[in-house]
Amino acid sequence: MHRGELSGTRKWPGDDAVEQAASTRCEKAFDAYVGLPFELSRLEYVPFTADQQGWEHGDRTVICVVYDPEEDTLR
């Protein structure tokens, strides 16, 4: 798991822009956390970010969770 902050102004940049920024941040953190580039790993990640209301109140947090898509439970 990785927790970080996205940059941006108070104005909501839109779902696509936030999703892209979060994915970029998570993929960079993935390499360091897992020890392999994302493309070479069987693991996946999912980013969690604030919605528009949270963003406009200053929440730029992104939480990246790594998981194994072949497993039914998290360990």
Side-chain angles (χ1 to χ4, degrees):
M1 183 174 91
H2 169 78
R3 181 180 176 169
E5 297 289 320
L6 300 176
S7 61
T9 64
R10 203 157 180 72
K11 182 179 178 198
W12 174 246
D15 290 332
D16 291 340
V18 171
E19 185 176 315
Q20 180 62 43
S23 290
T24 298
R25 181 73 180 253
C26 289
E27 195 163 321
K28 287 180 183 176
F30 184 98
D31 294 0
Y33 182 72
V34 174
L36 289 171
F38 176 70
E39 299 81 21
L40 298 178
S41 175
R42 72 172 191 195
L43 302 175
E44 300 284 332
Y45 67 84
V46 62
F48 294 95
T49 62
D51 60 7
Q52 181 175 355
Q53 184 178 11
W55 183 277
E56 290 174 347
H57 283 94
D59 185 0
R60 305 289 186 278
T61 303
V62 57
I63 298 173
C64 310
V65 177
V66 174
Y67 68 96
D68 185 339
E70 296 178 14
E71 294 290 328
D72 292 335
T73 59
L74 296 176
R75 297 172 197 229

